[in-house]
Amino acid sequence: MKTSPKLEEFKLRIAGVELGKHSFSVDCDKTFFELADIPDLHDGLVKLQIEMDVSEKMILLDFHFHGYVMFPCDRCLDPVKVDLDFNDNLVVKLVPLVEEIEEEDNLWIVNENEYELDLYHFVYEAITLALPSRIVHPDDENGQPTCNPKVLETLKQLTRQEDGKSDEIDPRWEALKNIKK
């Protein structure tokens, strides 16, 4: 991963922080997504609000993500805006004598003498997991796709061509039907 001042924004100082609640905000902008090297991501801006509740042996982090990312449509490959608005959380347990961070889904076990937490990868994963499995342009009010019409027409033609051939059985597959165990 490239080093950048943007990465520093995701390092959260925990040493010497007063007990109680603290708030932070960070923008996940084009630079963030370039550093994350997410394939096919065109652009985006996700505002991240972090609420940190510090106690003696534990830190509770609540994240609120709000914004959008631009991905290619799975149907026509034109850019489509994907709105994001979700919450996530992370529990950081501070214990003595841990050499390095032990991570589970939303629980990190960290040496109580650690100076800071690097939240970059956590934020990257949260955004990636929040994306829908299939990204397509929304349908219009009549239920018709709003994808690139030229691509839709090409897909329709290719589908018709394949449908016409579906009745014919490839002779190689037909020969395999005659093989008996």
Side-chain angles (χ1 to χ4, degrees):
M1 186 182 304
K2 306 169 193 173
T3 54
S4 161
K6 187 68 177 175
L7 293 177
E8 295 300 315
E9 293 180 26
F10 292 90
K11 292 187 178 176
L12 185 62
R13 185 171 153 242
I14 58 173
V17 175
E18 291 182 21
L19 300 180
K21 296 186 183 231
H22 307 275
S23 295
F24 306 93
S25 60
V26 182
D27 287 344
C28 303
D29 56 12
K30 189 170 185 153
T31 305
F32 172 86
F33 295 114
E34 286 172 356
L35 292 169
D37 199 25
I38 301 172
D40 298 328
L41 180 67
H42 293 281
D43 198 1
L45 176 60
V46 178
K47 295 193 175 286
L48 172 59
Q49 184 67 35
I50 304 170
E51 301 294 328
M52 179 170 79
D53 189 2
V54 181
S55 62
E56 287 188 34
K57 296 293 180 183
M58 191 174 300
I59 300 173
L60 302 174
L61 297 165
D62 290 318
F63 299 86
H64 178 74
F65 297 82
H66 180 75
Y68 71 94
V69 291
M70 298 292 289
F71 267 93
C73 175
D74 288 338
R75 190 181 307 147
C76 72
L77 299 179
D78 283 355
V80 63
K81 182 179 177 183
V82 178
D83 291 322
L84 298 174
D85 191 5
F86 66 97
N87 296 310
D88 206 343
N89 60 38
L90 175 65
V91 176
V92 180
K93 187 174 177 183
L94 303 171
V95 297
L97 304 173
V98 173
E99 295 289 323
E100 58 186 65
I101 293 176
E102 296 178 33
E103 296 181 20
E104 291 184 24
D105 285 342
N106 287 25
L107 171 66
W108 289 2
I109 299 174
V110 177
N111 186 319
E112 64 188 3
N113 297 319
E114 190 70 34
Y115 178 74
E116 63 187 15
L117 296 174
D118 187 352
L119 299 174
Y120 180 84
H121 192 70
F122 180 84
V123 170
Y124 159 79
E125 281 186 351
I127 291 172
T128 304
L129 292 172
L131 295 173
S133 58
R134 185 166 185 249
I135 299 172
V136 294
H137 286 98
D139 293 343
D140 64 13
E141 59 277 351
N142 298 325
Q144 299 299 314
T146 58
C147 289
N148 183 327
K150 290 180 183 177
V151 174
L152 291 177
E153 184 58 35
T154 303
L155 287 172
K156 192 181 289 184
Q157 289 173 357
L158 291 172
T159 304
R160 280 189 213 132
Q161 289 175 357
E162 288 177 11
D163 287 345
K165 294 180 181 179
S166 63
D167 293 339
E168 299 174 20
I169 297 175
D170 187 325
R172 295 171 291 187
W173 292 111
E174 187 65 36
L176 289 175
K177 285 183 176 181
N178 299 327
I179 296 176
K180 295 184 179 184
K181 292 181 183 181

